[in-house]
Structures are given as structure tokens and as C-alpha cells.
Amino acid sequence: MILVRNAQMNNNTDCFELIECFLNKIIFENQADYIVSIVANEVEYGLSLNSNDGTLLTFADSGCAENPHINIIHQVFLKFMDQFGFDLERVIIEAKYGDVIYCRLHWHHEKKDIYNVIGIGDALILQSLTQAPMFISKFVLDQFETFD
């Protein structure tokens, strides 16, 4: 048996702190890209979305998704999950590597919770459709630039 004395733990656990955030605005830019403003700790941060995700997010966030004549795939997915008794408990923006932002969906069911990892565009669309609470890890927030 090996005993470790006076060992110091890695002191980076604060990087995993979750901070509540919300989608503030969606801005169309350069005929192809979208900039999304997210507010956390009363500070506004900007991140870019591709045109497909930006268009679907605008559709969901503007209220057009409330009475559509055709559902987008995110609405079909939410109806499917609802039929099986799952509710979107929360959305967590948890990791960023280069330009890729990873999010985790926390689905609640009376018997079992499940988690899915998806990209930022789909996560924002599902959050907008459900109004589930959204959180961002301090690790990711520290990598975002403030929005001007």
C-alpha cells in the first residue's frame, strides 16, 4: 500500500462551475452568418452560428414555431421525447475546443434521466422551444469574448 502525504489536489474545480445564462439577441450578419448574444453574470457575450442554425433559431425564438404549418425537426424531436415522458430539464454549454462548442441536454423522466451531447446551434434551438433553464460552465465562459 502506498501512502501519499501532503498531496495537493488540482485546484481547477471552479472551471466546472455552472453559471445561469440566457439568449439575449440574434443578429444576422454578412449575408450568411448569425451572431448570438448570451448573457451570463450580467455580461453579454457573442458567439457565431452558421446560417442554418441561425435561421432555425430565429424561427424558434421569434414565436413563429408556436403555430407552424410544418414542424421543424427540433419540434418533431421534442414531441417524440414528450410522448415517452421526457422533459428537457436543462441545457448546459459545457465545453469549447477551437470553434466547436459542446452542449449537454439533461432530460428528466420519472424512472431515468438521460443526457445527450449536441452542438451549440441545436442546443439553443431546443432551449428556445422549451424555455428550459440554460447554464454555461465557467471554463467556456472564460473563452468567450464580450459582445460590443
Side-chain angles (χ1 to χ4, degrees):
M1 178 155 85
I2 300 173
L3 295 176
V4 179
R5 294 178 194 212
N6 299 325
Q8 290 188 339
M9 297 298 290
N10 188 346
N11 196 16
N12 67 353
T13 55
D14 66 324
C15 291
F16 302 107
E17 173 189 358
L18 295 179
I19 301 160
E20 193 160 7
C21 62
F22 64 91
L23 176 67
N24 190 38
K25 24 182 159 169
I26 306 164
I27 301 166
F28 183 66
E29 181 176 89
N30 296 334
Q31 306 279 330
D33 294 322
Y34 286 79
I35 304 295
V36 174
S37 161
I38 292 178
V39 175
N41 288 338
E42 299 181 18
V43 178
E44 194 171 14
Y45 298 89
L47 60 112
S48 62
L49 287 182
N50 64 49
S51 60
N52 183 57
D53 288 342
T55 301
L56 292 173
L57 179 59
T58 301
F59 176 78
D61 192 61
S62 67
C64 293
E66 291 177 16
N67 254 338
H69 63 282
I70 296 176
N71 289 317
I72 60 174
I73 192 67
H74 301 84
Q75 291 170 301
V76 173
F77 178 67
L78 287 170
K79 287 178 182 181
F80 175 81
M81 294 299 283
D82 184 56
Q83 287 175 350
F84 285 94
F86 285 93
D87 292 313
L88 186 56
E89 186 83 8
R90 63 185 179 164
V91 174
I92 302 169
I93 304 169
E94 68 177 8
K96 181 179 185 298
Y97 297 101
D99 290 340
V100 181
I101 301 171
Y102 297 88
C103 301
R104 185 173 304 269
L105 302 178
H106 174 190
W107 297 93
H108 177 72
H109 187 276
E110 63 184 38
K111 295 181 180 178
K112 180 180 183 180
D113 285 2
I114 61 171
Y115 301 87
N116 301 113
V117 176
I118 63 173
I120 186 70
D122 292 322
L124 290 173
I125 294 164
L126 290 169
Q127 189 280 328
S128 183
L129 289 170
T130 62
Q131 295 300 304
M134 185 165 56
F135 298 87
I136 186 167
S137 71
K138 185 177 181 321
F139 172 74
V140 175
L141 192 60
D142 289 344
Q143 296 179 60
F144 282 171
E145 295 181 21
T146 57
F147 192 72
D148 299 344

